[in-house]
Amino acid sequence: MKQYKQQLRAAIRQKKQTMAAEEIVSRSEALCRMVLETEAYRKASTIYGYLPFNQEVRTLPLLQQALADGKQVALPKCYGKKMQFILMDDLSRVQPSAFGAPEPLEDHPLADDSNALVLVPGVAFDAAGHRLGYGGGYYDRFLMQEPGHPTIALCFDFQLLPGLETEEHDISMDTVFWV
């Protein structure tokens, strides 16, 4: 299983690297519009989002719209093996984490909304909502500890596979959007 996941991560990373910046932006805009039209977004008073790393879907416009819509926005920050979400009113107040992904400068205020909509990044997904993450298990552990959150994953079409091998600890997404 470990080798399968490593090979899949490498193959997807290679495909992402071939994408032009304009293509990433245009596809990201379409994906963000899809989220904004969901009932899960409309119902949520808080969005647990993430800022993109490398060639991930550009989520900043979606998170800025959420703030403009009067929603709270929180970004993930890792402490050892634990991930917590920090409420943000200025999405530029981030720094690279140990892994290079943007995370909040501050450690507070902690987000505490058991119904927050969680946008979940990942390497690959399937239509059943199965997810291959980056290998740290942060989102799986978080969603296992807080299982009530609605989840949406955003990806490019080549990240959507016919099926994914999963393990017992892997948490499935409620919705996967791809373009």
Side-chain angles (χ1 to χ4, degrees):
M1 179 67 83
K2 186 175 182 179
Q3 186 176 10
Y4 160 80
K5 288 182 175 184
Q6 288 173 337
Q7 290 172 341
L8 194 50
R9 286 183 183 109
I12 297 291
R13 184 172 43 248
Q14 191 173 35
K15 286 183 180 181
K16 280 182 171 184
Q17 290 171 346
T18 65
M19 292 179 72
E22 303 80 35
E23 183 181 11
I24 293 171
V25 169
S26 67
R27 287 184 180 204
S28 295
E29 288 171 352
L31 288 162
C32 290
R33 281 193 302 273
M34 290 178 186
V35 173
L36 292 171
E37 294 171 3
T38 65
E39 185 176 342
Y41 176 83
R42 284 191 297 275
K43 283 181 160 182
S45 57
T46 308
I47 308 296
Y48 288 3
Y50 63 91
L51 292 177
F53 178 57
N54 292 332
Q55 288 82 19
E56 287 181 324
V57 171
R58 302 298 186 241
T59 57
L60 183 59
L62 170 60
L63 300 177
Q64 289 171 325
Q65 184 62 52
L67 287 171
D69 289 343
K71 298 179 185 295
Q72 292 187 307
V73 171
L75 297 177
K77 188 164 185 173
C78 297
Y79 303 88
K81 292 269 185 204
K82 186 173 183 171
M83 181 177 74
Q84 294 186 300
F85 283 86
I86 309 297
L87 290 172
M88 306 287 294
D89 53 14
D90 180 352
L91 296 170
S92 69
R93 295 201 41 80
V94 296
Q95 64 188 358
S97 70
F99 306 107
E103 70 176 14
L105 286 169
E106 286 81 23
D107 294 325
H108 56 78
L110 289 178
D112 185 23
D113 181 346
S114 60
N115 297 311
L117 171 60
V118 181
L119 302 178
V120 183
V123 174
F125 304 89
D126 67 19
H130 300 123
R131 170 184 170 269
L132 173 65
Y134 291 94
Y138 290 96
Y139 279 87
D140 289 323
R141 281 191 298 277
F142 175 80
L143 293 169
M144 204 172 294
Q145 291 170 352
E146 295 194 24
H149 292 282
T151 56
I152 295 179
L154 307 174
C155 67
F156 302 118
D157 56 2
F158 58 83
Q159 292 176 269
L160 188 77
L161 305 178
L164 273 176
E165 291 181 31
T166 59
E167 297 179 77
E168 191 177 314
H169 64 268
D170 292 332
I171 303 291
S172 294
M173 304 294 96
D174 295 327
T175 306
V176 179
F177 288 128
W178 65 92
V179 172

